[in-house]
Amino acid sequence: MASAAVLWFGENMSAVPLRSSKTVASAARSVTVLGATGSIGDSTMDLLRASPDRYQVEALTANSNVAALAKLAREFDARFAAIADPNLLEDLQDALAGTGTECGAGESAVIEAASRPADWVMAAVSGAAGLKPALAAVDRGATVALANKECLVCAGDFFMQRAAKAGACILPADSEHNALFQALGSGNREELIRVIITASGGPFRTWASADIEQATLAQALKHPNWSMGQKITIDSASMMNKGLEVIEASYLFALKPDEIDVLVHPQSIVHGMVEFSDRSVVAQLGVPDMRIPIAHCLGWPDRIVGPSAKLDLAKIGQLTFEVPDFKRFPGLRLAYDALRTGNGATAVYNAANEVAVAAFIAGKIRFGAIAGLVEATLEDWMRSGNQAPLTSADDAIVVDHIARNKAATLLPQIAAKAS
Ligand code: NDP
């Protein structure tokens, strides 16, 4: 386990460690993976699989995929397995009969999984459902590798303050934020000018607006570089994902919107950069493989041996960068607007986007209407005068629900407008 670390950026944001003295882990590290059956969960389990003696799995969770959860629980001899769907308890118990793994079901069981005494927790539940379990891990002062963006996008200030108060250590698992985390250690807050997160540009990087408007689900799911879950892949195509990441970076590292730039970098080799006052720019590079940032979180404050491919820059030959086009990708502009507005606007942005993406997947709206629905929901929320600081998970969940309902109400007119 890491000893107390030197903390990054002042009182409210002291949960992300900046530098720490190196420690050598002796006993097996106990770990919990929330969202073990997803794409991030899969990469995490792969890393654990590579060093079975180094880790003891405390708890694993999933939403409804009993078979995959039970398979992992058996393989890793997990102490506890939780399925979020309350109707699946018996199925999980049957699938784990004869093992020593305790079973639980429902949201409370997922929270229990996070509350159990693991040193290190991967928070990789997708969507706003990840907030309460991540908070449960944070509240007991765990080291939390945070993949779930929604914790920060929906409740960033509150989440980071609570982590700081509990002495939890938040390690950014998202590749861009992990890159910033690694680069930020080269200077201090006063020396920082800006951070730059890169974006692949997704499958529609070179497309005209009219073609993006009509893009199909199959086209949106063809990410050029990364292999990820469906929702985040669509968010990459709309650049909403980059918008979410700008918001995430702001809360994680206590940065103002103007201190965060985005650069389109189609090769996805440079993941993030930090510019300091002497004009040094420190970057983190690696092949596009989520196991690299996850391995950094798993080993932190040391480094473990990772299974990812070696970066061969000579073979890649060229690294290119472009300014993002806010006109063709309005979702990115909306993220900056929401961040500047604050007081729940980023939660509205996220909720409306989730409704829009689900509607796009269901064939109810065109791709181009995703940003339209988010914008209309944000405008409605601004008119409502409901803006106020979020001070609890329940506050964030209320704003999330209101925004989802509003987005669902606005959906038919946005669908009609776009067709
Ligand atoms: P996936 O959809 O692949 O997996 C989501 C996981 O969460 C699954 O284990 C799923 O269980 C579980 N889950 C879904 N809904 C619920 C719920 N209501 N309650 C409890 N568990 C639930 O997502 P990803 O792994 O792609 O992403 C996870 C998070 O990490 C997201 O916030 C994403 O934005 C972020 N992220 C992902 C990256 C990637 O490369 N994939 C990169 C950076 C960040 P089940 O399998 O049973 O459905």
Side-chain angles (χ1 to χ4, degrees), residues 35-41 61-65 84 110 124-127 129 147-150 174 227-229 232 290:
T37 52
S39 162
I40 293 286
T61 79
N63 186 32
S64 57
N65 194 341
V110 179
V125 168
S126 55
N148 175 286
K149 299 175 202 293
E150 293 79 4
D174 208 347
S227 160
M228 305 181 288
I232 189 172
M290 280 309 295

Side-chain angles (χ1 to χ4, degrees), residues 12 17 68 119 135 143 147 155 231 257 270 274 306 325 380 393 398 402:
N12 285 348
D119 304 328
L135 276 173
T143 296
K231 156 77 169 48
V270 179
V274 180
D325 184 342
D380 183 275
V398 167
I402 292 173

